[in-house]
């Protein structure tokens, strides 16, 4: 009889312990702070979060930018690494893909034969394909594409949101926790800002469906150098009209 009476007592004790543990888990979950262990910007007013993100972007020497930018009727797909002294990456527009390389003030464009044929230079397409073509600074193409290689120009033009700012909850981008800031409820764009370490911008949805961009590798240095002479073609004073 003694053995029989001990078993229910043990079961009641174990059951009670389980109930207490479950209650503790529930209470702890209810009290979770989504900003615990973060850099704290998630608790700031939205305009302050945006200004902190822009300041962080301005201070960083390097960044990897990828996504789409819509300007007028044109959509550009970018995958570019940027730094103060130049940039390297690819651009796709109107079905044509090409590479841009800027070292200092020198801008080079590299594309296949199809690109040059569409640009209006079928006769020289075989000579230009796969080569870095030096873009004359007086050419319209220089003015058109140089902006895709200038970090400060891109950041100042892309990052600002429009309209009344508000926060729109905690999210995640590339495995990093973020706080989202919106302009006019999202119509003026949305910006996801890192809650880990420096509050860098990590994802931007531009106002008016003008493209979506991601930012990564902030401050990660990369080498830039002019292409070797054997891979470079100096087209002259102007490029074919594109």
């Amino acid at each position: 009889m003694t053995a029989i009476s001990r078993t229910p007592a043990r079961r009641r004790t174990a059951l009670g312990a389980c109930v207490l543990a479950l209650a503790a888990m529930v209470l702890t979950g209810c009290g979770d702070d989504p900003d615990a262990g973060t850099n704290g910007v998630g608790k700031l007013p939205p305009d302050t979060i945006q200004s902190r993100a822009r300041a962080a972007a301005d201070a960083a020497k390097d960044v990897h930018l990828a996504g789409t930018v819509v300007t007028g009727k044109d959509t550009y797909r970018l995958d570019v690494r940027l730094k103060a002294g130049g940039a390297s990456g690819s651009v796709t527009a109107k079905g044509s893909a090409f590479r841009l390389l800027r070292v200092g003030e020198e801008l080079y464009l590299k594309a296949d034969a199809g690109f040059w044929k569409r640009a209006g230079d079928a006769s020289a397409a075989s000579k230009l394909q796969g080569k870095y073509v030096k873009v004359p600074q007086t050419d319209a193409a220089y003015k058109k594409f140089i902006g895709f290689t200038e970090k400060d120009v891109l950041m100042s033009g892309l990052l600002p949101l429009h309209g009344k700012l508000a926060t729109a909850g905690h999210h995640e981008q590339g495995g990093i926790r973020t706080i989202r800031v919106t302009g006019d409820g999202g119509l003026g764009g949305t910006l996801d800002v890192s809650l880990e370490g420096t509050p860098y911008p990590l994802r931007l949805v531009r106002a008016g469906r003008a493209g979506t961009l991601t930012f990564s590798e902030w401050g990660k240095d990369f080498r830039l150098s002019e292409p070797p002479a054997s891979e470079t073609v100096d087209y002259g004073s102007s490029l074919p009209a594109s």
Side-chain angles (χ1 to χ4, degrees), residues 45-110:
D47 57 336
T48 304
I49 298 174
Q50 179 180 237
S51 63
R52 292 277 183 93
R54 291 186 63 181
D58 290 342
K61 294 182 178 180
D62 316 270
V63 65
H64 182 187
L65 178 153
T68 57
V69 173
V70 181
T71 60
K73 295 181 180 180
D74 296 326
T75 298
Y76 298 92
R77 182 170 295 279
L78 310 178
D79 189 348
V80 185
R81 296 192 70 182
L82 305 157
K83 64 186 338 178
S88 176
S90 64
V91 179
T92 302
K94 297 181 180 179
S96 295
F98 53 93
R99 292 194 63 80
L100 287 177
L101 170 65
R102 180 174 68 85
V103 182
E105 297 301 317
E106 302 296 341
L107 180 66
Y108 300 88
L109 190 154
K110 183 178 182 181

Side-chain angles (χ1 to χ4, degrees), residues 102-173:
R102 180 174 68 85
V103 182
E105 297 301 317
E106 302 296 341
L107 180 66
Y108 300 88
L109 190 154
K110 183 178 182 181
D112 60 16
F115 173 89
W116 293 111
K117 288 178 181 179
R118 287 187 291 273
D121 197 350
S123 61
S126 59
K127 176 185 176 182
L128 300 178
Q129 68 171 334
K131 298 286 188 178
Y132 284 99
V133 178
K134 189 174 182 179
V135 183
Q137 294 185 23
T138 56
D139 192 271
Y142 188 94
K143 298 177 179 64
K144 184 172 185 177
F145 295 130
I146 192 69
F148 291 137
T149 69
E150 296 180 315
K151 174 181 173 290
D152 291 344
V153 172
L154 281 171
M155 294 302 108
S156 62
L158 294 173
L159 290 181
L161 302 176
H162 304 285
K164 185 178 181 180
L165 301 184
T167 53
H170 292 69
H171 300 268
E172 186 177 291
Q173 175 62 36

Side-chain angles (χ1 to χ4, degrees), residues 177-200:
R177 290 178 291 172
T178 67
I179 182 70
R180 181 168 296 171
V181 180
T182 65
D184 275 346
L187 297 178
T190 69
L191 182 66
D192 280 31
V193 178
S194 176
L195 287 173
E196 301 178 20
T198 305
Y200 290 123

